[in-house]
Amino acid sequence: MPERLTPLAVCALALLAERPMHPYEIAQLLRARGQDQDVKLRIPSLYHAIERLERDGLIEVSGVDREGNRPERTTYRLLKAGRDAMERQVIVWLQAPRAEFPVLPVAVGEAHFLTRAEVERVLAERRDAVARERAAVRVFQEAALDKGVPRRMLLGKEFTLHRLDAEPRVGRLSPVRSRERGP
């Protein structure tokens, strides 16, 4: 039993809960659903995660097939232990007020090493990037809803939009006035 599942492993288990599939298909679906924006998706990392899930008894091989000259594809299916582990990990993440260590608070906290002009320029670029990302997420979300994807399947995107809505405030940070300390 794994101590902790990675976000990529949880996404893979969630897709295998839909049906058995091979890792390449998992990667394609993660990209098609925009989840590659939420997890670090690298093919070698995905294959490593699949190997670990199999080793830990969370998934198993359900078949091996070959189409034409293509290489063999191993298809995996989710086991009950895998579904249970995925659900436990999701609960842990949902309960934690801060499951990971985002870098933005550190960057903002140490921005005093830069000139004010540099900070303002970089934060303006960040605001523009956030606006572009927000627009792209909104387009993806609307397209998915138009295709009949249930809203509950898009809650991660909804969360991303809320997070992005909070981002412009970062650009309006004002320098904290230092307090003189008395003797």
Side-chain angles (χ1 to χ4, degrees), residues 8 18 25-26 37 41-42 55 65 69 76 84 88-89 120 131 141 151 165 171:
L8 183 58
E18 294 179 23
E25 185 179 7
I26 290 171
Q37 301 298 309
L41 176 61
R42 293 197 174 130
R55 183 190 69 227
D65 64 307
N69 292 334
Y76 296 89
D84 293 345
R88 280 192 305 275
Q89 186 64 65
E120 289 173 351
Q141 186 181 41
R151 183 172 169 258
D165 285 343

Side-chain angles (χ1 to χ4, degrees), residues 58-123:
L58 304 180
I59 63 175
E60 69 180 7
V61 173
S62 66
V64 178
D65 64 307
R66 177 186 290 253
E67 289 183 22
N69 292 334
R70 294 181 181 229
E72 284 186 346
R73 291 192 173 173
T74 304
T75 301
Y76 296 89
R77 72 177 191 92
L78 181 66
L79 298 174
K80 182 176 180 337
R83 184 179 197 97
D84 293 345
M86 174 186 59
E87 289 174 359
R88 280 192 305 275
Q89 186 64 65
V90 168
I91 288 169
V92 166
W93 288 339
L94 288 174
Q95 289 175 331
R98 189 173 86 174
E100 298 293 328
F101 292 96
V103 296
L104 182 59
V106 175
V108 169
E110 303 306 335
H112 59 89
F113 285 104
L114 306 173
T115 65
R116 182 181 182 104
E118 179 96 22
V119 171
E120 289 173 351
R121 180 186 62 77
V122 170
L123 290 178

Side-chain angles (χ1 to χ4, degrees), residues 134 137-138 141 157-166:
R134 190 178 195 297
V137 170
R138 178 67 82 190
Q141 186 181 41
K157 295 300 174 202
E158 203 166 297
F159 174 81
T160 297
L161 288 173
H162 288 294
R163 180 185 55 79
L164 292 171
D165 285 343

